[in-house]
Amino acid sequence: STAPPPSFAQPLLFPMSSSTIQSDWENRELTEIVQLNILQITSFLNKFDLSTRSKLAKINEKLNSLERTLDFCETAVRNTGAGVKAEGDK
C-alpha cells in the first residue's frame, strides 16, 4: 500500500538552513512591499480617474453653454444683417 501524504502538522523532513529561511523572509517582505505599492498606485489611479471625469464633465457643461451662446449670437447677427439689407433695399 502507499503511504499517506504528509500532514502539514508533521515536522519538515528536510529542515531549512538559516540562510534559506532568511532568504524566504526577504522574498516575502519584498512581495509584500510590491503588493502594497500596487495597491497605492491603484488607489491613486482610481482617485485620479474620478477627479478627471468630474473636471471633464464641468468643462463639457461650460463648452455646451458657450456653443449655445455662440449659436444665439450668430443667429442674432444674421437676423440683424438681414434686417439692415431689407431696409436698405427700400
Side-chain angles (χ1 to χ4, degrees):
S1 80
T2 60
S7 166
F8 287 108
Q10 291 178 346
L12 293 173
L13 297 177
F14 303 103
M16 296 172 67
S17 68
S18 62
S19 64
T20 305
I21 293 172
Q22 180 67 30
S23 175
D24 182 57
W25 275 107
E26 289 171 359
N27 287 337
R28 289 172 189 254
E29 185 178 18
L30 177 63
T31 302
E32 186 176 337
I33 290 169
V34 169
Q35 287 174 338
L36 196 61
N37 285 326
I38 289 172
L39 287 173
Q40 289 174 341
I41 291 169
T42 303
S43 176
F44 166 78
L45 289 174
N46 286 332
K47 289 176 186 175
F48 180 77
D49 176 59
L50 288 174
S51 173
T52 304
R53 285 178 190 260
S54 173
K55 289 175 183 178
L56 286 174
K58 288 178 185 177
I59 290 172
N60 191 43
E61 288 175 16
K62 290 178 181 181
L63 184 57
N64 287 336
S65 176
L66 286 172
E67 287 174 341
R68 287 191 301 272
T69 303
L70 181 59
D71 288 342
F72 173 78
C73 291
E74 287 175 346
T75 303
V77 168
R78 282 191 197 115
N79 290 340
T80 304
V84 171
K85 277 188 178 180
E87 289 178 14
D89 291 341
K90 290 182 183 179

